[in-house]
Amino acid sequence: MLGQMMQQPLLISSLLQHAERHHGAQAVVSRRVEGDVHRYTYRDLASRSRRLAKALAALGVQPGERVGTVAWNGYRHLELYYAVSGSGTVLHTLNPRLHADQVAWIAEHAQDRVLCFDKTFLPLVASVASRLPTVRHFVLMADKAHMPADEPIPGLLCYEDLIDGPGDDHFDWPRLDEDTASSLCYTSGTTGHPKGVLYSHRSTVLHTLASSLPDALNLSARDTVLPVVPMFHVNAWGLPYSACMVGAKLVFPGPALDGKSLHDLFEAEGVTLAAGVPTVWQGLLAHVSGNGLTFSTMRRTIIGGSACPPAMMNTFEDTYGVQVIHAWGMTELSPIGTVGVLKAHQQQLPLPEQRALQAKQGRSVFGVDMKIVDEDGQELPWDGQASGELLVRGHWVLAQYHQGEQSPLVDGWFPTGDVATIDADGFMNITDRAKDVIKSGGEWIGSIDIENIAMAHPGVAMAACIAAKHPKWDERPLLVVVPRANAEVSREALLGFFDGKIAKWWTPDDVVFVDAIPLGATGKMLKHRLREQFEHHLLAKA
């Protein structure tokens, strides 16, 4: 027997329709690339998103085709979030912090048809435009007054001209199958080329609902939310959707992410919740403490991307009265997997024990299940001691990569590449990573890419890139090199060899020269031994 309830597909457009109807007067505030602060409402957002959807259709964008963005957090980027996905096309957010070659490769792999970008990134986009054969239209996210006098990209379109096109804002959002693709994000948390994760309307709406729960990010219409985490980084952890769904005031920082700019915006707009990686909060706390400031309204901060240092957590909580919500996830998880909100009985524990729990990656939100397994794939107990590979499954977990030939799943579970423990209360703690990648300030750096470049140097016989602990960035790449016999190669020459080949921030912080790199029985480098030997190398130099 089937239930007799309405069938309403879970669609991203429904989030915007709800916000317009029930929270239409709520504010969306953006510090713009132009330098000023822009203000409008969810009602304005909905109207302009409909106009944009019509404009994209007029440009010939077909259902299922990809519209790329290279943009900061702001209202125009938010309009693209809803206009693109809501109309049945696919939003593809590109990370401008990557090397130009990677940006070009990703845009071509995604087969973007339109590329929309902030003026900040005009030089980047202009440098790769000729290498993007699938892109039919380039759109500068600006008004007429801020368009370039010359034409750095032939046929460059003006975003505001598209919004102000002929006709009214009437547009009927299509009733899509909820499994229709909605957005596309690429992860650099793997070796080799980045991989695309193609989200659906269903997975996104379910993620939005679960992430807003009290034991997750705890969002409501009473909040003022400022996502510092970029909208090009796993859809800003879903906050552009969840804030819209609950009717929270949204504040976007644009390109100004320094401590002073953020604190000024927090205070001016009454921000109650902010989200970002630890390195951003280091700059904010340094500004606040250095100038004798405090937080008037901010009460919660979501910290993810990399582990929150205990000292930072203590400073937020004890000095400024700001609750730290430690979260963990992956691009493949949309991204939220676990959140470190304490259970009732844990709140009765002594403060040091509470903080130790908060320092873990947290417990699953509804919609995500997890387990740890040994080398034979056997599930291990949740006793806080047994350590094994972390696997996850759920309503918004990847099943297969975009254009991937094989599913990465193992018996229906996604292998995260992390090694973790889980305690009896379900709190997960990552203890190591199986993948040879480096997480610097919340951003992934592929070690094999760095090794391949180093090995191309004529003076290098063998090279390994490992994660070394860093006082500011959590981890930074350290290059371990065996020089060729009779070759003269210096640290400066090797580091200079990376110029122009990778993003500058991927360049290793230092080079260590050794006589040999330990190898396993199959000839694979034993990087765990190098990490044991050199993981504190950069701390010792600091």
Side-chain angles (χ1 to χ4, degrees), residues 279 282 309 468-476 509 538-540 542:
T279 49
Q282 284 179 345
K469 294 185 182 299
H470 190 276
K472 179 179 180 181
W473 301 109
D474 192 32
E475 291 179 352
R476 289 292 298 155
D509 277 25
L538 299 178
L539 293 178

Side-chain angles (χ1 to χ4, degrees), residues 64 129 134 176 189 232 268 393 472 508 542:
T134 65
L176 307 168
F232 57 73
R393 65 182 180 187
K472 179 179 180 181

Side-chain angles (χ1 to χ4, degrees), residues 232-533:
F232 57 73
H233 194 167
V234 206
N235 294 335
W237 300 348
L239 287 169
Y241 301 121
S242 50
C244 189
M245 182 190 74
V246 301
K249 177 181 176 181
L250 259 174
V251 181
F252 290 119
L257 304 179
D258 60 283
K260 182 181 186 306
S261 296
L262 288 174
H263 185 263
D264 288 349
L265 202 55
F266 284 2
E267 295 300 299
E269 301 300 332
V271 171
T272 62
L273 174 91
V277 299
T279 49
V280 171
W281 300 140
Q282 284 179 345
L284 174 66
L285 289 174
H287 170 74
V288 172
S289 63
N291 292 277
L293 303 173
T294 187
F295 298 104
S296 301
T297 57
M298 190 167 79
R299 294 295 174 260
R300 307 192 307 286
T301 177
I302 305 161
I303 298 182
S306 60
C308 176
M312 177 181 292
M313 183 179 296
N314 293 337
T315 300
F316 265 126
E317 298 248 2
D318 299 334
T319 305
Y320 299 109
V322 176
Q323 178 192 6
V324 171
I325 302 172
H326 204 194
W328 169 85
M330 304 175 68
T331 305
E332 290 91 342
L333 272 68
S334 304
I336 295 176
T338 61
V339 182
V341 178
L342 300 181
K343 295 182 177 181
H345 73 91
Q346 294 167 330
Q347 293 177 323
Q348 309 306 314
L349 295 171
L351 188 58
E353 294 183 34
Q354 291 187 38
R355 293 289 162 80
L357 282 170
Q358 286 178 275
K360 294 182 177 184
Q361 278 63 43
R363 53 193 174 94
S364 292
V365 298
F366 173 78
V368 172
D369 194 10
M370 60 184 176
K371 67 177 180 178
I372 50 176
V373 299
D374 62 18
E375 294 180 354
D376 298 321
Q378 298 300 307
E379 186 167 356
L380 295 170
W382 290 19
D383 57 8
Q385 301 298 319
S387 179
E389 184 178 5
L390 179 66
L391 282 74
V392 296
R393 65 182 180 187
H395 300 309
W396 51 81
V397 179
L398 169 138
Q400 186 162 336
Y401 290 105
H402 179 53
Q403 297 190 41
E405 295 181 0
Q406 293 182 333
S407 172
L409 302 188
V410 177
D411 296 328
W413 293 77
F414 176 75
T416 66
D418 288 319
V419 177
T421 64
I422 306 176
D423 67 20
D425 284 309
F427 270 69
M428 185 268 292
N429 186 38
I430 293 175
T431 59
D432 202 352
R433 281 196 297 279
K435 297 177 182 179
D436 292 323
V437 290
I438 300 149
K439 208 167 195 182
S440 176
E443 297 276 358
W444 290 107
I445 296 175
S447 62
I448 288 184
D449 295 329
I450 293 175
E451 290 162 3
N452 288 340
I453 294 171
M455 289 293 292
H457 190 284
V460 173
M462 184 175 291
C465 184
I466 62 169
K469 294 185 182 299
H470 190 276
K472 179 179 180 181
W473 301 109
D474 192 32
E475 291 179 352
R476 289 292 298 155
L478 176 67
L479 191 63
V480 182
V481 168
V482 178
R484 289 189 183 276
N486 304 319
E488 292 186 4
V489 56
S490 67
R491 170 188 180 276
E492 290 72 22
L494 265 180
L495 295 181
F497 190 66
F498 288 92
D499 289 349
K501 298 181 176 71
I502 53 173
K504 198 164 186 64
W505 62 275
W506 275 38
T507 303
D509 277 25
D510 202 4
V511 179
V512 176
F513 293 95
V514 295
D515 293 330
I517 289 175
L519 302 176
T522 61
K524 183 177 180 181
M525 293 185 292
L526 301 178
K527 289 190 180 181
H528 66 281
R529 292 190 185 175
L530 294 176
R531 284 193 289 268
E532 290 170 1
Q533 184 176 359

Side-chain angles (χ1 to χ4, degrees), residues 14-216:
S14 68
L15 303 174
L16 183 60
Q17 289 175 304
H18 177 81
E20 180 181 25
R21 184 173 177 84
H22 298 281
H23 304 282
Q26 183 62 280
V28 178
V29 181
S30 305
R31 180 180 279 140
R32 303 200 300 177
V33 172
E34 293 91 323
D36 60 343
V37 175
H38 176 274
R39 300 176 184 277
Y40 72 0
T41 66
Y42 278 126
R43 190 173 293 114
D44 299 319
L45 166 66
S47 175
R48 284 171 57 90
S49 296
R50 289 192 294 269
R51 285 182 171 275
L52 180 57
K54 291 173 67 173
L56 292 172
L59 290 177
V61 183
Q62 298 297 310
E65 292 187 330
R66 271 70 69 199
V67 175
T69 68
V70 189
W72 298 108
N73 292 11
Y75 69 102
R76 290 180 178 128
H77 207 173
L78 187 65
E79 290 162 4
L80 282 157
Y81 263 56
Y82 286 100
V84 174
S85 299
S87 61
T89 51
V90 179
L91 178 79
H92 171 213
T93 54
L94 281 141
N95 186 345
R97 294 173 179 164
L98 298 175
H99 189 269
D101 290 343
Q102 285 184 303
V103 172
W105 185 92
I106 293 170
E108 185 175 1
H109 186 266
Q111 296 185 308
D112 292 334
R113 300 303 188 197
V114 177
L115 189 59
C116 304
F117 55 96
D118 276 332
K119 193 169 185 178
T120 307
F121 306 117
L122 178 56
L124 169 64
V125 175
S127 72
V128 300
S130 62
R131 298 156 59 186
L132 305 179
T134 65
V135 177
R136 297 190 293 256
H137 302 285
F138 293 89
V139 180
L140 183 61
M141 295 164 64
D143 57 23
K144 204 72 172 177
H146 291 88
M147 294 293 288
D150 56 353
E151 196 171 71
I153 302 174
L156 182 62
L157 300 175
C158 173
Y159 182 92
E160 290 298 332
D161 281 355
L162 293 179
I163 293 285
D164 295 332
D168 55 26
D169 68 352
H170 177 76
F171 180 83
D172 291 325
W173 299 110
R175 185 183 174 95
L176 307 168
D177 185 308
E178 63 183 23
D179 288 319
T180 299
S182 62
S183 58
L184 177 63
C185 291
Y186 278 74
T187 174
S188 54
T190 56
T191 56
H193 284 304
K195 296 179 181 179
V197 181
L198 191 59
Y199 308 121
S200 69
H201 285 260
R202 170 186 165 82
S203 69
T204 302
V205 173
L206 289 175
H207 181 272
T208 302
L209 288 163
S211 67
S212 303
L213 291 170
D215 274 357

